[in-house]
Amino acid sequence: MIVVAGGTGTLGTRLVPRLSAQGQAVRLLTREPARAQHLAGPRVDVVRGDVRDPRSVAEALDGASTVISAVHGFAGPGGVSPASVDRAGNAHLIAAAAHVGAAFVLVSVVGASPAHPIEIFRAKHAAEEMLRASGIPWTIVRATAFMETWAEIMSRPLQASGKILVFGRGDNPINFVSATDVAALAGRAVTDPSLRGQVLELGGPGNLTFNQLAAMMQEVAGRRGAVRHIARSTLHTMAWLTAAIKPALARQARAALVMDTHDMTFDSSATRRAFPDLPHTDMPSALKELLS
Ligand SMILES: NC(=O)c1ccc[n+]([C@@H]2O[C@H](COP(=O)([O-])OP(=O)(O)OC[C@H]3O[C@@H](n4cnc5c(N)ncnc54)[C@H](OP(=O)(O)O)[C@@H]3O)[C@@H](O)[C@H]2O)c1
């Protein structure tokens, strides 16, 4: 039985049906089973749990053969943080998987490293290190920024005010990959034991700036949404002002600044060559699905 932590997320909602369609028995761990209603089925069992609570994690992993962690605490409901979810939560999942003798697939980020300027990249690195040291069979799937996540954030004001948000100057190239492609690779990582001990890094077809992404969004939305830049100075102020009262907002502002100023490019051709059957979703297709 495969336990999917994070099965209700952008990636998880694409991964769970893929696994169950292959005949795999899936147990989906969520803090709120109502969020998983659309995924429940004959082969998908939904259990309540919080990765920050080791007892609920141990209960959810009872009888598991493989566990996949597709959780994160960068943003989202419940006062989550990279420290409590990506570090401590993954530590709880890894310990419980070791206890029941399960293999473990960790979804991480391309660029995860101990000195990365974005907190979640440091927390993912810590989780990767814990997993490698755990002694259990493991696979790490690192992905670049999800097209769906960023397009959704940028297009949030489109309906109400006709605006598309761009963070900072928006001229820094960033690699975006579709969560659909990552779900296909994560599904392979879960079910193919020959991939144990490997780090698989997946990106999308090209590197795009936020300005290019906004232009594509205007094209696909079929109306000229005005682009609204959130200036770097505003992001700095936002990060500073909200650090104590809205830490998730401060994290997002800090991450946006890094994405506007650091090298976020990636060449995925080696992984694409190794897995030629993965879908190759491009940004216009992802935008059409999102905005339709
Ligand atoms: N989005 C990106 O741009 C991106 C890029 C690279 C890698 N990744 C990685 O890909 C994975 C999936 O990301 P996503 O964007 O699909 O996530 P998402 O849509 O934001 O969903 C977050 C998921 O994490 C779960 N979660 C959060 N805190 C939890 C907790 N305390 N206990 C249990 N579950 C918790 C949520 O489950 P419930 O709310 O149902 O409890 C939800 O399923 C993550 O590991 C992420 O770091 C994402």
Side-chain angles (χ1 to χ4, degrees):
M1 193 255 308
I2 297 163
V3 173
V4 182
T8 59
T10 307
L11 175 64
T13 51
R14 291 165 168 83
L15 174 64
V16 169
R18 178 175 271 277
L19 291 173
S20 76
Q22 289 169 11
Q24 306 282 352
V26 175
R27 187 180 292 154
L28 187 160
L29 181 155
T30 170
R31 290 165 295 169
E32 180 44 72
R35 277 203 276 273
Q37 247 168 11
H38 61 298
L39 296 164
R43 280 190 289 271
V44 182
D45 180 27
V46 176
V47 296
R48 188 188 294 275
D50 188 318
V51 297
R52 295 169 293 184
D53 167 20
R55 213 173 58 180
S56 71
V57 169
E59 279 169 19
L61 266 59
D62 186 29
S65 55
T66 309
V67 177
I68 175 161
S69 167
V71 296
H72 73 80
F74 178 68
V80 290
S81 67
S84 65
V85 173
D86 298 276
R87 257 176 215 265
N90 276 322
H92 299 149
L93 287 166
I94 293 165
H99 186 70
V100 298
F104 200 98
V105 177
L106 175 71
V107 183
S108 183
V109 288
V110 166
S113 65
H116 198 281
I118 301 179
E119 184 186 358
I120 191 168
F121 284 57
R122 300 193 295 274
K124 290 289 194 196
H125 170 77
E128 290 186 6
E129 292 294 289
M130 283 185 271
L131 183 56
R132 289 175 204 267
S134 68
I136 59 176
W138 58 266
T139 307
I140 294 167
V141 176
R142 291 182 180 161
T144 58
F146 290 177
M147 294 173 178
E148 293 81 2
T149 304
W150 284 94
E152 199 275 322
I153 293 171
M154 289 171 68
S155 66
R156 238 174 244 161
L158 197 56
Q159 287 290 2
S161 61
K163 297 268 194 320
I164 295 169
L165 295 181
V166 167
F167 303 98
R169 292 180 194 158
D171 52 15
N172 192 38
I174 298 163
N175 189 274
F176 293 98
V177 65
S178 170
T180 300
D181 300 12
V182 183
L185 183 62
R188 278 285 294 276
V190 166
T191 54
D192 185 349
S194 74
L195 297 175
R196 299 294 163 253
Q198 292 194 37
V199 179
L200 312 172
E201 296 195 304
L202 191 65
N207 304 305
L208 286 174
T209 68
F210 277 132
N211 287 329
Q212 288 171 320
L213 177 48
M216 282 183 179
M217 228 171 247
Q218 289 176 319
E219 185 94 22
V220 172
R223 59 189 116 106
R224 303 280 314 161
V227 173
R228 181 177 166 227
H229 282 263
I230 315 280
R232 286 183 188 169
S233 55
T234 309
L235 291 169
H236 274 294
T237 310
M238 204 192 282
W240 185 74
L241 281 180
T242 60
I245 41 164
K246 287 195 173 169
L249 191 59
R251 266 197 300 278
Q252 286 170 37
R254 283 195 301 269
L257 278 166
V258 175
M259 290 183 79
D260 203 38
T261 49
H262 282 63
D263 182 9
M264 302 296 291
T265 60
F266 184 65
D267 177 359
S268 192
S269 44
T271 308
R272 294 282 176 180
R273 267 196 307 275
F275 299 92
D277 52 341
L278 291 183
H280 278 67
T281 310
D282 61 10
M283 186 62 92
S285 316
L287 291 177
K288 269 182 207 135
E289 194 187 315
L290 182 83
L291 299 173
S292 64

